[in-house]
Amino acid sequence: MKRVVFRGGTLFDAESRCADPADVAVEDGRIVEVGTGLDGDEEVDCAGRGVLPGLIDCHVHVTMTSSDLFESVQQPFSLQFYEGARNMARTLAAGVTTVRDAAGADLGMRVAQERGLIAGPRMQISLNMLSQTGGHGDPWWPSTCVVDLLPPHPGRPPVVVDGPEEIRRKVRELVRAGADVIKAATSGGVVSGGAGPKIAHFRDDEIAMMVNEAAAAGLPVMAHAHGDGAKAAVRNGVRSIEHGHFLDDETLEMMAARGTWLVPTLSAGVGLRQAVEAGAGYPEHIVEKIKERTESSVRRAVEAGVPIAMGTDAPLYPHGENLLELELLVEQGMRPADALHAATLSAANLMGLGSSLGSLAPGKRADLVVVDGDPLDVRDLGKRVLAVYQDGRLVHAADRG
């Protein structure tokens, strides 16, 4: 069995949130030793470079490519899966070796990656997003179905539901179709045709049903949620709040006390604003919601002790440019080491993968990212990725021409 040593790099230790010189020894896809002066059959010279654990993005949509909604719905149905394979490759090249797909990817895409048919991050999938009638995931507008970004197919069930018993059946359908996590919209959204993010969706008995039924299958619930919709989701036991604008102090206190995660997706706001400035064809009421979207709750969440994990909502900001999120987290008051933790061990813990991913420690899967320069400098980190290893195998090397 070949032993490969990554020698002489500056390692980001996600446990201590520090970076120090060390070697990493890898055998059979696992990290077997971390220290100095390690020996091996082969070595990778990491002198002058940083070495990070494989990064994790907890909120992507790999089957979506454009932030132009009307352009997206005019594409052939099956194109999403081919574009999805390309988007997965771009994400992997950015150093993101694991993702949680927040609606779009189906079980076939996850299995294709696991079998090596397509290159990409390993995935947890939600398939689609539970929505009440008229909610964020309902494609019907006042008079017609205009924009259905996630049309149902045999691997992606329809998800507009009302009442606890409909929710019970739908959660079971999603589990049957291969979901690893159940996603629901407990508030309106920015780019949907209905209510804005300040309007709560689903009542307590409905949210409690989705949480309890998911738990019966051993799965967590992630909630697209803002404002009062986030408060209801936290009150009823969801594992993570996605986006999380307009969170008041009571909600943040509950999240900190219950260990409810926040996945801020700051990149999405940047992407939406850029799209509006570039003249994207959003209806005026959606443009107004984008403009109304205020500063995120991250700074106050950090102060309140809310656990935070990285997520981008790509493609609202493009696939492959995921690491902008780290810079945005730092702008919102996180230390660079804490932002990296949000993208490594925190993200792994949110996804229930902390025992196998998220840090460079013996026994864990050998996902490593070699970067140019100081690993604690997150500025333009995505442009400094030199090599990406997944389970000890080189899956991307930068072309330095």
Side-chain angles (χ1 to χ4, degrees), residues 7-238:
R7 188 177 305 285
T10 301
L11 271 59
F12 174 67
D13 181 351
E15 295 284 355
S16 67
R17 308 191 190 202
C18 297
D20 295 295
D23 305 333
V24 181
V26 172
E27 289 182 24
D28 196 26
R30 294 275 175 173
I31 296 170
V32 294
E33 193 173 1
V34 178
T36 56
L38 303 184
D39 59 357
D41 304 304
E42 295 181 7
E43 71 174 51
V44 177
D45 184 7
C46 298
R49 296 170 175 175
V51 181
L52 298 164
L55 300 165
I56 301 172
D57 191 329
C58 296
H59 193 120
V60 300
H61 301 275
V62 299
T63 62
M64 301 180 190
T65 298
S66 173
S67 62
D68 187 330
L69 306 182
F70 293 95
E71 187 273 336
S72 296
V73 297
Q74 295 178 61
Q75 301 306 314
F77 174 78
S78 60
L79 184 64
Q80 63 186 298
F81 302 108
Y82 296 96
E83 289 191 331
R86 181 187 62 189
N87 294 336
M88 290 170 68
R90 289 176 172 173
T91 302
L92 187 62
V96 176
T97 58
T98 304
V99 298
R100 187 176 60 162
D101 190 88
D106 67 2
L107 182 59
M109 297 187 73
R110 193 189 78 191
V111 171
Q113 187 279 331
E114 290 170 349
R115 294 183 181 178
L117 300 177
I118 55 176
R122 64 181 65 82
M123 292 197 293
Q124 289 186 353
I125 55 174
S126 61
L127 305 177
N128 214 336
M129 178 177 64
L130 297 174
S131 172
Q132 70 175 44
T133 297
H136 184 52
D138 186 348
W140 279 82
W141 290 14
S143 59
T144 187
C145 182
V146 179
V147 178
D148 193 350
L149 292 174
L150 296 168
H153 64 78
R156 192 167 65 203
V159 281
V160 177
V161 287
D162 298 288
E165 289 309 313
E166 283 191 18
I167 288 170
R168 184 197 302 275
R169 176 177 291 275
K170 191 58 62 176
V171 168
R172 291 177 179 180
E173 287 181 12
L174 290 164
V175 173
R176 179 180 66 189
D180 301 298
V181 56
I182 301 301
K183 184 184 180 186
T186 64
S187 75
V190 174
V191 295
S192 55
K198 293 182 180 179
I199 303 300
H201 287 168
F202 288 124
R203 305 289 73 81
D204 279 46
D205 60 343
E206 295 173 306
I207 302 171
M209 174 62 80
M210 63 183 72
V211 170
N212 291 335
E213 197 61 39
L219 304 183
V221 174
M222 57 189 295
H224 160 107
H226 307 275
D228 288 343
K231 184 177 295 184
V234 175
R235 185 168 61 238
N236 286 285
V238 305

Side-chain angles (χ1 to χ4, degrees), residues 224-313:
H224 160 107
H226 307 275
D228 288 343
K231 184 177 295 184
V234 175
R235 185 168 61 238
N236 286 285
V238 305
R239 183 158 176 80
S240 65
I241 298 297
E242 314 292 309
H243 318 305
H245 284 254
F246 312 115
L247 303 182
D248 63 20
D249 290 343
E250 182 184 6
T251 302
L252 293 173
E253 289 170 6
M254 282 199 302
M255 291 177 71
R258 295 167 181 244
T260 307
W261 294 82
L262 175 63
V263 181
T265 67
L266 299 170
S267 301
V270 174
L272 286 171
R273 290 191 294 271
Q274 289 180 351
V276 169
E277 292 167 2
Y282 294 122
E284 186 58 33
H285 69 280
I286 289 181
V287 173
E288 288 304 313
K289 285 194 286 184
I290 292 172
K291 291 179 178 177
E292 185 187 47
R293 185 171 169 151
T294 58
E295 182 175 330
S296 82
S297 303
V298 173
R299 191 177 299 274
R300 292 169 46 246
V302 170
E303 294 171 354
V306 174
I308 294 173
M310 188 187 87
T312 62
D313 211 5

Side-chain angles (χ1 to χ4, degrees), residues 321-345:
E321 299 185 30
N322 309 61
L323 302 196
L324 171 69
E325 188 75 18
L326 297 173
E327 296 182 54
L328 298 175
L329 289 171
V330 170
E331 288 179 7
Q332 290 296 317
M334 296 184 77
R335 298 183 310 142
D338 293 334
L340 285 170
H341 196 279
T344 53
L345 194 52

